[in-house]
Amino acid sequence: MWVVKWVLFVWISVFLFSHHQSNVEGRSHFHKKQNNKSSSKGSPAPQPPDYSPPQDPSPPPPVPSDPNDGGNSSSDPCIFDVTTFGAVGDGSSDDTAAFRSAWKEACAVENGVLLAPSGYDFTITSTIFSGPCKPGLVFQVDGTLMPPNGPDCWPKSDSNKQWLVFYRLDGMAFTGSGTIEGNGEKWWELPCKPHRGPKGTTLPGPCDSPALIRFFLSSNLVVSSLRIRNSPQFHMKFDGCDGVLIDKLSISSPKLSPNTDGIHIENTKSVGIYNSVIANGDDCISIGPGCRDVDIEGVTCGPSHGISIGSLGVHNSQACVSNISVSNAIIKDSDNGVRIKTWQGGTGSVTGLSFENIQMENVRNCIIIDQYYCLSKACRNETSAVYVTDVSYKNIKGTYDVRSPPIHFACSDTVACTNITMSEVELLPEEGELVDDPFCWNAYGIQETLTIPPIDCLQDGEPQSMAENTAYGC
């Protein structure tokens, strides 16, 4: 894992030296404005959330430039301000065409910067920003950027499954001091959402809701410093990417907003998620199939559904996840802490997971492996399952909600969980009496230290069917 951290550190260092997040200086490119109202600013941008990500030392200040020097055309950023392409930024006008035009020109030059300046509220419809582009591309949002307000305002010709899509890009940075406002409230109220029917059921009606930001088939990405709020569905997704650095993000939506995962990655490798604060109505961070070499550190989650590996193995599919590290994190007021969830009938493996130095604050299911994940009561036990092995829990302390046991290892009947390591796990009730009956089923491992509560149900050694388990590996 140190290799992943070193590579990601190099990326962010290069990024910070090359592109200063709140004061981009370079060669501005001006275009004739397409609308006489383009200078009006409208209402001010929404205020930031009450919390802010943990502060790291400030990046080095920009090197002063000689005002008489036109700049080195090979290294200075070329700034493409969307207002010079006709963007109005009044919160209601459609600025899509201006963003697409600015993207086209920024993509075509080295160190191009598409700039959405502060003091404006830009609205654009569902758009795919595609590459390949020249090196050093930056998409910088210092104002507010948002989609149309709800399904009734969504263009019928646009996909209602995604909003901002970044496709086939290499070495791009998505950053700024501004806000991505998802306008998700009207989407959450669709009748298909779980909270709309009685007792958590659903009602008939349309259901598709757009993910707010999606990176697809891209590499060497940096996403930093933005506030991302109120997504209709997932706030940010990475699919088929290689090399992702996420740093100092603030992601927020209400506790009961449905399916609003903070960061979801799938079929993606070499990922670092650092120094971010996430509060939402679903998984804080979710890691899907095909992911490896993921390092999560300095993240605060809650309220949320915790940090999840999965769900994996749905519809009898193969899922391979390996080398995942979560450290120095805080999880609070959440339905789950650190969770592995798989469906019955899947194949593949989850291996090489480390959860270390994690503070729990009023969390249900602080530590959970659930190999019977199901969205209804109709799921049956199957003869195959995703194989879970080599999972370490170290220095996990804090308080739990007594409605559920703080430790729950429900492994498959046919494919046991193996090599689970417990060390310095101390979990006490937030209020009420100590729940001293952690649940284990077909789970094997060791306790390097005594745990609170005691977990005597964890079996020593390996199951007799260990040879069969290896057949499920990747």
Side-chain angles (χ1 to χ4, degrees), residues 32-65:
K32 184 177 179 180
K33 297 181 180 179
Q34 300 171 359
N35 192 312
N36 292 333
K37 298 180 181 180
S38 61
S39 62
S40 63
K41 296 187 179 182
S43 59
Q47 294 299 308
D50 292 334
Y51 53 77
S52 60
Q55 297 297 310
D56 277 5
S58 300
V63 177
S65 58

Side-chain angles (χ1 to χ4, degrees), residues 261 282-283 285-287 305-314 319 336 338-344 350 353 368-375 386 388 410:
D261 291 46
D282 211 300
D283 291 337
I285 298 171
S286 55
I287 299 173
H305 292 184
I307 297 175
S308 291
I309 314 298
S311 62
L312 306 174
V314 65
N336 302 285
V338 290
R339 175 168 60 158
I340 302 169
K341 52 181 178 176
T342 73
W343 295 76
Q344 284 286 295
V350 176
L353 274 57
I368 178 170
I369 298 176
D370 179 8
Q371 294 213 269
Y372 299 88
Y373 184 73
C374 180
L375 298 180
V386 177
V388 177

Side-chain angles (χ1 to χ4, degrees), residues 46 53 67 109 116 126 138 141-142 164 205 233 253 265 297 346 349 362 410 413 423 425 438 457 469:
V109 301
S126 178
V138 176
V141 179
D142 289 339
L164 290 186
Q233 202 202 49
S253 61
I265 63 174
E297 185 173 359
S349 66
N362 192 29
D413 290 344
S423 176
V425 175
C457 58
N469 283 15

Side-chain angles (χ1 to χ4, degrees), residues 164-458:
L164 290 186
V165 180
F166 297 97
Y167 175 60
R168 290 197 179 278
L169 295 165
D170 181 35
M172 176 192 146
F174 185 42
T175 186
S177 59
T179 299
I180 311 297
E181 170 57 61
N183 289 333
E185 292 87 347
K186 294 179 181 178
W187 295 96
W188 305 331
E189 296 303 314
L190 290 175
C192 63
K193 301 303 181 181
H195 68 294
R196 295 298 294 160
K199 297 182 179 179
T201 60
T202 61
L203 299 173
C207 200
D208 284 338
S209 300
L212 198 61
I213 303 164
R214 184 187 183 200
F215 290 89
F216 184 46
L217 296 179
S218 296
S219 57
N220 302 320
L221 303 169
V222 174
V223 182
S224 65
S225 303
L226 292 163
R227 293 183 296 274
I228 305 172
R229 313 193 313 182
N230 300 323
S231 176
Q233 202 202 49
F234 289 14
H235 286 77
M236 184 170 289
K237 296 177 67 175
F238 296 84
D239 191 357
C241 296
D242 183 359
V244 177
L245 174 60
I246 299 169
D247 191 45
K248 299 184 181 68
L249 290 187
S250 171
I251 298 176
S252 63
S253 61
K255 182 177 182 178
L256 297 180
S257 57
N259 307 121
T260 53
D261 291 46
I263 299 170
H264 176 76
I265 63 174
E266 190 165 324
N267 298 311
T268 293
K269 59 184 180 180
S270 300
V271 179
I273 303 174
Y274 303 125
N275 308 313
S276 296
V277 176
I278 303 172
N280 61 323
D282 211 300
D283 291 337
C284 168
I285 298 171
S286 55
I287 299 173
C291 293
R292 60 181 172 89
D293 301 329
V294 179
D295 186 38
I296 301 168
E297 185 173 359
V299 170
T300 297
C301 294
S304 72
H305 292 184
I307 297 175
S308 291
I309 314 298
S311 62
L312 306 174
V314 65
H315 303 313
N316 302 318
S317 60
Q318 184 185 51
C320 300
V321 174
S322 62
N323 198 21
I324 312 296
S325 172
V326 180
S327 62
N328 302 317
I330 299 172
I331 301 176
K332 57 186 180 180
D333 301 320
S334 296
D335 286 353
N336 302 285
V338 290
R339 175 168 60 158
I340 302 169
K341 52 181 178 176
T342 73
W343 295 76
Q344 284 286 295
T347 58
S349 66
V350 176
T351 182
L353 274 57
S354 172
F355 302 100
E356 185 173 358
N357 300 335
I358 299 174
Q359 180 70 26
M360 302 285 182
E361 299 176 8
N362 192 29
V363 175
R364 295 184 70 177
N365 303 309
C366 294
I367 296 172
I368 178 170
I369 298 176
D370 179 8
Q371 294 213 269
Y372 299 88
Y373 184 73
C374 180
L375 298 180
S376 70
K377 295 182 180 179
C379 300
R380 301 180 304 167
N381 282 1
E382 302 283 352
T383 57
S384 66
V386 177
Y387 176 35
V388 177
T389 186
D390 296 332
V391 184
S392 172
Y393 302 96
K394 183 176 182 180
N395 195 28
I396 298 179
K397 299 179 180 180
T399 61
Y400 61 89
D401 185 322
V402 297
R403 289 177 293 173
S404 301
I407 302 171
H408 186 97
F409 294 143
C411 299
S412 173
D413 290 344
T414 55
V415 185
C417 303
T418 64
N419 201 21
I420 297 171
T421 302
M422 307 288 287
S423 176
E424 300 177 76
V425 175
E426 299 177 9
L427 298 168
L428 299 171
E430 175 73 11
E431 57 184 24
E433 296 183 1
L434 180 71
V435 178
D436 58 358
D437 57 346
F439 178 83
C440 304
W441 178 255
N442 212 14
Y444 291 78
I446 60 172
Q447 297 182 67
E448 293 185 341
T449 65
L450 294 177
T451 63
I452 301 176
I455 185 166
D456 299 329
C457 58
L458 188 64

